[in-house]
PDB file of all heavy atoms in Angstrom:
ATOM      1  N   SER A1318      48.256  62.044  33.075  1.00  0.00           N
ATOM      2  CA  SER A1318      49.330  62.536  32.207  1.00  0.00           C
ATOM      3  C   SER A1318      48.751  62.806  30.783  1.00  0.00           C
ATOM      4  O   SER A1318      47.826  62.193  30.339  1.00  0.00           O
ATOM      5  CB  SER A1318      50.383  61.394  32.020  1.00  0.00           C
ATOM      6  OG  SER A1318      51.303  61.769  31.030  1.00  0.00           O
ATOM      7  N   ILE A1319      49.269  63.809  30.113  1.00  0.00           N
ATOM      8  CA  ILE A1319      48.871  64.193  28.802  1.00  0.00           C
ATOM      9  C   ILE A1319      49.811  63.645  27.779  1.00  0.00           C
ATOM     10  O   ILE A1319      49.785  63.966  26.632  1.00  0.00           O
ATOM     11  CB  ILE A1319      48.742  65.665  28.618  1.00  0.00           C
ATOM     12  CG1 ILE A1319      50.122  66.379  28.808  1.00  0.00           C
ATOM     13  CG2 ILE A1319      47.721  66.291  29.569  1.00  0.00           C
ATOM     14  CD1 ILE A1319      50.072  67.907  28.416  1.00  0.00           C
ATOM     15  N   THR A1320      50.698  62.764  28.268  1.00  0.00           N
ATOM     16  CA  THR A1320      51.641  62.126  27.264  1.00  0.00           C
ATOM     17  C   THR A1320      50.867  61.236  26.317  1.00  0.00           C
ATOM     18  O   THR A1320      50.149  60.354  26.851  1.00  0.00           O
ATOM     19  CB  THR A1320      52.672  61.250  28.038  1.00  0.00           C
ATOM     20  OG1 THR A1320      53.380  62.068  28.969  1.00  0.00           O
ATOM     21  CG2 THR A1320      53.667  60.682  27.002  1.00  0.00           C
ATOM     22  N   PRO A1321      50.940  61.437  25.017  1.00  0.00           N
ATOM     23  CA  PRO A1321      50.111  60.673  24.113  1.00  0.00           C
ATOM     24  C   PRO A1321      50.647  59.261  23.901  1.00  0.00           C
ATOM     25  O   PRO A1321      50.984  58.842  22.796  1.00  0.00           O
ATOM     26  CB  PRO A1321      50.229  61.489  22.785  1.00  0.00           C
ATOM     27  CG  PRO A1321      51.598  62.175  22.918  1.00  0.00           C
ATOM     28  CD  PRO A1321      51.778  62.461  24.370  1.00  0.00           C
ATOM     29  N   SER A1322      50.823  58.547  24.981  1.00  0.00           N
ATOM     30  CA  SER A1322      51.342  57.187  24.842  1.00  0.00           C
ATOM     31  C   SER A1322      50.269  56.150  24.350  1.00  0.00           C
ATOM     32  O   SER A1322      50.684  55.045  24.034  1.00  0.00           O
ATOM     33  CB  SER A1322      51.855  56.756  26.216  1.00  0.00           C
ATOM     34  OG  SER A1322      50.875  56.805  27.207  1.00  0.00           O
ATOM     35  N   GLU A1323      49.016  56.507  24.505  1.00  0.00           N
ATOM     36  CA  GLU A1323      48.000  55.547  24.026  1.00  0.00           C
ATOM     37  C   GLU A1323      47.916  55.447  22.521  1.00  0.00           C
ATOM     38  O   GLU A1323      47.629  54.354  21.976  1.00  0.00           O
ATOM     39  CB  GLU A1323      46.584  55.887  24.623  1.00  0.00           C
ATOM     40  CG  GLU A1323      45.549  54.916  24.133  1.00  0.00           C
ATOM     41  CD  GLU A1323      44.155  55.373  24.585  1.00  0.00           C
ATOM     42  OE1 GLU A1323      44.002  55.832  25.763  1.00  0.00           O
ATOM     43  OE2 GLU A1323      43.256  55.266  23.770  1.00  0.00           O
ATOM     44  N   THR A1324      48.309  56.564  21.876  1.00  0.00           N
ATOM     45  CA  THR A1324      48.061  56.533  20.456  1.00  0.00           C
ATOM     46  C   THR A1324      48.984  55.607  19.782  1.00  0.00           C
ATOM     47  O   THR A1324      50.258  55.665  19.916  1.00  0.00           O
ATOM     48  CB  THR A1324      48.336  57.960  19.886  1.00  0.00           C
ATOM     49  OG1 THR A1324      47.525  58.859  20.540  1.00  0.00           O
ATOM     50  CG2 THR A1324      48.101  58.041  18.386  1.00  0.00           C
ATOM     51  N   PRO A1325      48.546  54.661  19.004  1.00  0.00           N
ATOM     52  CA  PRO A1325      49.435  53.663  18.387  1.00  0.00           C
ATOM     53  C   PRO A1325      50.157  54.244  17.196  1.00  0.00           C
ATOM     54  O   PRO A1325      49.741  55.286  16.657  1.00  0.00           O
ATOM     55  CB  PRO A1325      48.413  52.543  17.915  1.00  0.00           C
ATOM     56  CG  PRO A1325      47.195  53.270  17.678  1.00  0.00           C
ATOM     57  CD  PRO A1325      47.113  54.390  18.747  1.00  0.00           C
ATOM     58  N   SER A1326      51.192  53.540  16.796  1.00  0.00           N
ATOM     59  CA  SER A1326      51.806  53.959  15.529  1.00  0.00           C
ATOM     60  C   SER A1326      50.889  53.590  14.357  1.00  0.00           C
ATOM     61  O   SER A1326      49.929  52.924  14.556  1.00  0.00           O
ATOM     62  CB  SER A1326      53.178  53.207  15.462  1.00  0.00           C
ATOM     63  OG  SER A1326      52.957  51.845  15.394  1.00  0.00           O
ATOM     64  N   GLU A1327      51.341  54.012  13.178  1.00  0.00           N
ATOM     65  CA  GLU A1327      50.505  53.751  12.014  1.00  0.00           C
ATOM     66  C   GLU A1327      50.209  52.218  11.855  1.00  0.00           C
ATOM     67  O   GLU A1327      49.204  51.838  11.498  1.00  0.00           O
ATOM     68  CB  GLU A1327      51.186  54.311  10.746  1.00  0.00           C
ATOM     69  CG  GLU A1327      50.301  54.249   9.509  1.00  0.00           C
ATOM     70  CD  GLU A1327      50.849  55.066   8.412  1.00  0.00           C
ATOM     71  OE1 GLU A1327      51.399  56.108   8.669  1.00  0.00           O
ATOM     72  OE2 GLU A1327      50.681  54.634   7.310  1.00  0.00           O
ATOM     73  N   THR A1328      51.231  51.465  12.092  1.00  0.00           N
ATOM     74  CA  THR A1328      51.068  49.986  12.119  1.00  0.00           C
ATOM     75  C   THR A1328      51.367  49.517  13.491  1.00  0.00           C
ATOM     76  O   THR A1328      52.483  49.611  13.972  1.00  0.00           O
ATOM     77  CB  THR A1328      52.068  49.301  11.154  1.00  0.00           C
ATOM     78  OG1 THR A1328      51.850  49.825   9.846  1.00  0.00           O
ATOM     79  CG2 THR A1328      51.867  47.763  11.127  1.00  0.00           C
ATOM     80  N   PRO A1329      50.364  49.080  14.266  1.00  0.00           N
ATOM     81  CA  PRO A1329      50.537  48.710  15.674  1.00  0.00           C
ATOM     82  C   PRO A1329      51.710  47.633  15.823  1.00  0.00           C
ATOM     83  O   PRO A1329      51.825  46.725  14.995  1.00  0.00           O
ATOM     84  CB  PRO A1329      49.207  48.059  16.062  1.00  0.00           C
ATOM     85  CG  PRO A1329      48.190  48.701  15.094  1.00  0.00           C
ATOM     86  CD  PRO A1329      48.975  48.850  13.811  1.00  0.00           C
ATOM     87  N   SER A1330      52.517  47.933  16.766  1.00  0.00           N
ATOM     88  CA  SER A1330      53.573  47.050  17.014  1.00  0.00           C
ATOM     89  C   SER A1330      53.152  45.742  17.663  1.00  0.00           C
ATOM     90  O   SER A1330      52.124  45.659  18.192  1.00  0.00           O
ATOM     91  CB  SER A1330      54.717  47.731  17.845  1.00  0.00           C
ATOM     92  OG  SER A1330      54.163  48.008  19.153  1.00  0.00           O
TER      93      SER A1330
END
Side-chain angles (χ1 to χ4, degrees):
S1318 170
I1319 62 171
T1320 303
S1322 59
E1323 178 187 317
T1324 304
S1326 61
E1327 186 168 325
T1328 302
S1330 64

